[in-house]
Amino acid sequence: EVQLVESGGGLVQPGGSLRLSCAASGFSFSDHYMDWVRQAPGKGLEWVGRIRNKVNSYTTEYAASVKGRFTISRDDSKNSLYLQMNSLKTEDTAVYYCARGSGLWFDPWGQGTLVTVSS
Amino acid sequence: DIQLTQSPSFLSASVGDRVTITCRASQDISSFLAWYQQKPGKAPKLLIYAASTFQSGVPSRFSGSGSGTEFTLTISSLQPEDFATYYCQQLNSYPLTFGGGTKVEIK
């Protein structure tokens, strides 16, 4: 079964940092692009960023709202995806999902992990 | 950035109704459009990609159409398990973007 499981969410103060992880199983992780998407409470979906696979040099793309503050990385040997979030703002409060990406879809998605930025 | 405008943002319908949701892109995205279903407290689930291709396991009452800037998701006969929020997504260019969502509720 293809599965993604996020972890690392929690409460952090404004200006703080947090690192999210996404553990993948059931598919060839190293072959795929991976994405992060977030959803603020009661709001819609916002794409955060993408990391491509080794064939595509692990290059990354980011939404303007997080560029320069968030960094996506991966460890193919551990089938794991990461989101390093620095200089967090209250508006970064959201459920963060990882998803297996492609040029045509995001599938599947993890169950999400809640990040709350508050003093 | 490519903006996706979904309409309606909310609709109330009965079991058995035919439901159509529209997604308009601010510029031509060819067929690089996907549709997702999200139920409360759950992750989104892929329904349709490339504007009209079913994801495996999705019931045939769901269909997608369109290209360019205008797309539709149709549910031919609404079932109780279809009450959810639906999102479109463009994958034509970065930043990838989602529509604002359409919440389908029971009338």
Side-chain angles (χ1 to χ4, degrees), chain A residues 77-97:
Chain A
S77 68
K78 295 182 179 179
N79 287 347
S80 292
L81 172 73
Y82 305 101
L83 179 65
Q84 177 67 44
M85 304 185 293
N86 298 331
S87 303
L88 282 160
K89 307 175 182 179
T90 55
E91 52 264 40
D92 294 319
T93 294
V95 174
Y96 285 74
Y97 297 100

Side-chain angles (χ1 to χ4, degrees), chain B residues 11-19 61 75-84 86 104-107:
Chain B
L11 74 88
S12 182
S14 300
V15 172
D17 284 354
R18 181 182 181 87
V19 167
R61 62 181 178 273
I75 309 172
S76 60
S77 177
L78 202 62
Q79 298 301 300
E81 60 268 30
D82 301 336
F83 292 96
Y86 294 85
V104 178
E105 289 201 343
I106 302 173
K107 182 182 281 186

Side-chain angles (χ1 to χ4, degrees), chain A residues 57-75:
Chain A
S57 305
Y58 299 127
T59 52
T60 54
E61 305 283 349
Y62 295 96
S65 58
V66 306
K67 195 168 186 177
R69 300 188 299 123
F70 289 13
T71 302
I72 299 174
S73 61
R74 63 192 293 165
D75 185 338

Side-chain angles (χ1 to χ4, degrees), chain A residues 27-67:
Chain A
F27 67 99
S28 182
F29 179 76
S30 60
D31 289 342
H32 289 271
Y33 295 5
M34 295 297 296
D35 291 86
W36 287 98
V37 178
R38 67 183 180 183
Q39 187 169 35
K43 302 297 184 183
L45 302 170
E46 180 188 16
W47 175 74
V48 171
R50 162 170 284 185
I51 186 164
R52 297 180 179 87
N53 54 13
K54 183 178 180 180
V55 168
N56 290 283
S57 305
Y58 299 127
T59 52
T60 54
E61 305 283 349
Y62 295 96
S65 58
V66 306
K67 195 168 186 177

Side-chain angles (χ1 to χ4, degrees), chain A residues 39 50 52 97 106-107 110, chain B residues 36 38 43 55 87 89 94:
Chain A
Q39 187 169 35
R50 162 170 284 185
R52 297 180 179 87
Y97 297 100
F106 286 10
D107 180 69
Chain B
Y36 301 88
Q38 187 179 34
Q55 172 64 341
Y87 294 93
Q89 178 201 28
Y94 296 101

